[in-house]
Amino acid sequence: VVDPLENSTYSVEIPTRANLLTIGNKANLVFRGITFQYANSCRNDSAVPVQFNDSNILFDQDFFYWNNASGIKMGWSTNTTVQNSIANYNGSEGLQGYETKYDLWQNNVARYNGWRGAQGVYYSWGVAGTHFGLAHNQTIDGLDTSFNQTFGIHWDTDNENDTADSMTASQNLLAAAFVEKSQGPVTITNSSFCNGAPLMGPNTLGFELRNSGSVTLSGSTMLNNGTELLITGQAGGYTIKNWETGQSLTVNNKNFVFTNNVVDGTTSQQLFTDGALAGSDWATFNNTLSSDYNTWWNATGTKFFTVPVPVLWTKTDYSGFQATTLKDAHSSWKAPSNPGSACTNLAGPDSDYWFVMDAFKGYATVSAGGSYTWTPSVVALGGFTGTISLKNDGITAIPGATATYSPASITTSGSASFTVTTKSTTPKGSYPITLIANNGSKTRTMTVTLTVN
């Protein structure tokens, strides 16, 4: 392969197998101490799919590295266990489950996943470091799901009777933990959701609740996230179907239990936000909310609570939040002692960096003769301090177009403006442009699309 930017030639290995181990209609199997890597799976596929009527399957002390999509996926199976295993550097998810029952996940690590989506400015919609959908009677214990270029852990639709204890989710690009469109109960205890503010827009969240009922969060810490606790969703809720019973359910935010937690923000970070779901949605949420014995704190100001009353996006202080919700009677507004110790003591990644941008701005439309500016960012990880040069590929395929970076390099962390200017004679069409960040042997890319009308 010849690199036209560096005028160099490289030898590369191209994987061809989508799946490395496929299990279907099997029972009573154990896989221990095996490494699964470099699978060329498409999105929604996995290096190791365990699916379709499997039961009593155990993965212990296994490794899932550098696969194109997810590392391992349990699907349509019962009584499965993944334990003492590591699922790192996978393109979409590290650990994944779909329509499972009695699945156990204990003492696992899922880090640095989501890089394949990040290459397309695609961080959300069905991906996460740890991603579960339609999980019934699930147990999670001792999970580390951190440094993912997507959600840390995401329970996505029709999850019930699930429990998670002693999780750590730190420095993920989107919400550290996210429960959506689920009837519950989902019970999360003794966990830490931290440091979700790596220079990136509105989605850097600690815990996100979206149209879900009977979720309990207790004994846990939310620390240094753009928003610590977000209540959001679709007005009136969603209609889902319970895969076991076939029953249609309308799920919305209700019966949320939030007790004995520490919520600690810095700078302008919001501690609680429900700014959009007003009227009956807010009434349903607040009337069924059980929130008490929490410690709330932000040393940089006072108005860090956002509620939809008396008007949308009303910012208030701690006493105003108590008066509005009539909750947290035994909670306190004070600096917590030793907050986020689980995240503070978390061994960090190797020296590296992300090359990312706002998830909703990868696509742009201009009229011929117009211009558009993207704002890519570099996020340093693991003490990275190098200088990153910025380049692009694809401008020559857009007739008459020119492109500039300002600045042309970034040291450690920061953002740049990448502006593409077309001419009135530029033909209509959609043009992909690859943005390139390089530091020595470390090269990161992402592809944006410019549509010329």
Side-chain angles (χ1 to χ4, degrees):
V1 175
V2 177
D3 184 345
L5 295 177
E6 298 183 2
N7 194 28
S8 301
T9 301
Y10 300 93
S11 296
V12 297
E13 179 181 11
I14 306 298
T16 58
R17 295 193 63 175
N19 310 117
L20 306 182
L21 170 67
T22 301
I23 303 172
N25 295 297
K26 296 293 187 292
N28 307 318
L29 298 176
V30 176
F31 299 88
R32 181 173 286 118
I34 304 174
T35 297
F36 303 92
Q37 62 184 8
Y38 305 142
N40 191 24
S41 312
C42 292
R43 183 175 178 270
N44 289 331
D45 202 354
S46 174
V48 181
V50 181
Q51 54 194 24
F52 305 118
N53 302 315
D54 295 307
S55 63
N56 296 314
I57 308 294
L58 169 64
F59 283 81
D60 180 31
Q61 302 177 59
D62 295 306
F63 304 88
F64 309 90
Y65 289 153
W66 288 111
N67 297 291
N68 201 46
S70 69
I72 182 170
K73 179 180 180 179
M74 298 293 186
W76 304 278
S77 56
T78 60
N79 293 299
T80 58
T81 298
V82 178
Q83 65 184 19
N84 308 314
S85 296
I86 299 175
N88 289 354
Y89 299 107
N90 297 289
S92 55
E93 297 95 341
L95 305 172
Q96 185 180 13
Y98 185 84
E99 198 169 300
T100 56
K101 189 169 183 179
Y102 300 117
D103 49 323
L104 170 64
W105 308 76
Q106 61 183 1
N107 301 322
N108 297 308
V109 175
R111 289 185 169 192
Y112 323 118
N113 300 292
W115 55 265
R116 176 63 74 191
Q119 290 182 329
V121 198
Y122 187 84
Y123 311 112
S124 186
W125 300 291
V127 293
T130 304
H131 185 216
F132 300 120
L134 293 78
H136 290 189
N137 302 93
Q138 177 189 77
T139 301
I140 301 171
D141 183 52
L143 171 67
D144 171 1
T145 181
S146 302
F147 307 105
N148 297 291
Q149 293 183 76
T150 175
F151 299 105
I153 181 168
H154 183 188
W155 284 275
D156 184 358
T157 310
D158 183 24
N159 295 281
E160 70 174 16
N161 297 321
D162 299 340
T163 63
D165 184 68
S166 301
M167 294 191 302
T168 301
S170 181
Q171 285 186 246
N172 295 287
L173 187 60
L174 303 184
F178 183 21
V179 182
E180 73 164 332
K181 296 192 289 186
S182 295
Q183 65 274 28
V186 175
T187 301
I188 301 167
T189 54
N190 306 313
S191 297
S192 297
F193 310 115
C194 312
N195 305 320
L199 305 179
M200 297 309 303
N203 290 319
T204 53
L205 305 168
F207 186 87
E208 183 174 359
L209 183 73
R210 180 171 184 256
N211 293 112
S212 294
S214 299
V215 174
T216 295
L217 181 59
S218 66
S220 298
T221 297
M222 280 134 281
L223 172 69
N224 190 32
N225 301 292
T227 295
E228 307 298 343
L229 175 60
L230 176 67
I231 312 301
T232 186
Q234 175 175 286
Y238 279 92
T239 300
I240 65 169
K241 181 178 287 188
N242 184 309
W243 70 264
E244 278 195 277
T245 66
Q247 179 185 8
S248 292
L249 306 168
T250 298
V251 289
N252 49 33
N253 297 319
K254 63 181 180 180
N255 298 316
F256 183 47
V257 178
F258 190 76
T259 57
N260 294 293
N261 298 299
V262 172
V263 188
D264 188 359
T266 63
T267 59
S268 60
Q269 295 171 353
Q270 289 288 290
L271 304 181
F272 173 94
T273 294
D274 184 339
L277 292 178
S280 61
D281 292 285
W282 167 256
T284 297
F285 170 76
N286 191 50
N287 291 342
T288 62
L289 170 65
S290 176
S291 181
D292 209 354
Y293 299 99
N294 301 301
T295 298
W296 303 86
W297 182 245
N298 190 321
T300 64
T302 58
K303 293 190 176 182
F304 296 115
F305 299 84
T306 301
V307 293
V309 291
V311 295
L312 294 178
W313 303 103
T314 297
K315 286 187 173 8
T316 185
D317 58 15
Y318 174 61
S319 61
F321 174 70
Q322 287 179 305
T324 300
T325 61
L326 300 179
K327 304 297 190 297
D328 284 277
H330 302 95
S331 298
S332 59
W333 175 261
K334 67 178 183 181
S337 59
N338 195 28
S341 59
C343 294
T344 302
N345 298 328
L346 188 68
D350 296 334
S351 177
D352 204 345
Y353 63 90
W354 288 345
F355 189 44
V356 291
M357 71 166 62
D358 189 299
F360 302 102
K361 295 183 179 177
Y363 299 85
T365 301
V366 298
S367 297
S371 63
Y372 188 83
T373 298
W374 286 273
T375 308
S377 295
V378 169
V379 180
L381 300 174
F384 176 85
T385 57
T387 297
I388 296 148
S389 61
L390 303 176
K391 303 176 183 179
N392 72 84
D393 186 30
I395 293 301
T396 56
I398 310 177
T402 58
T404 59
Y405 272 108
S406 180
S409 65
I410 295 172
T411 300
T412 307
S413 291
S415 300
S417 297
F418 176 71
T419 302
V420 176
T421 302
T422 63
K423 285 190 173 181
S424 60
T425 55
T426 299
K428 296 178 181 179
S430 291
Y431 301 95
I433 306 166
T434 300
L435 311 186
I436 303 168
N438 172 257
N439 173 267
S441 63
K442 292 182 171 67
T443 298
R444 306 287 177 262
T445 69
M446 58 181 158
T447 299
V448 298
T449 301
L450 181 71
T451 299
V452 179
N453 280 339

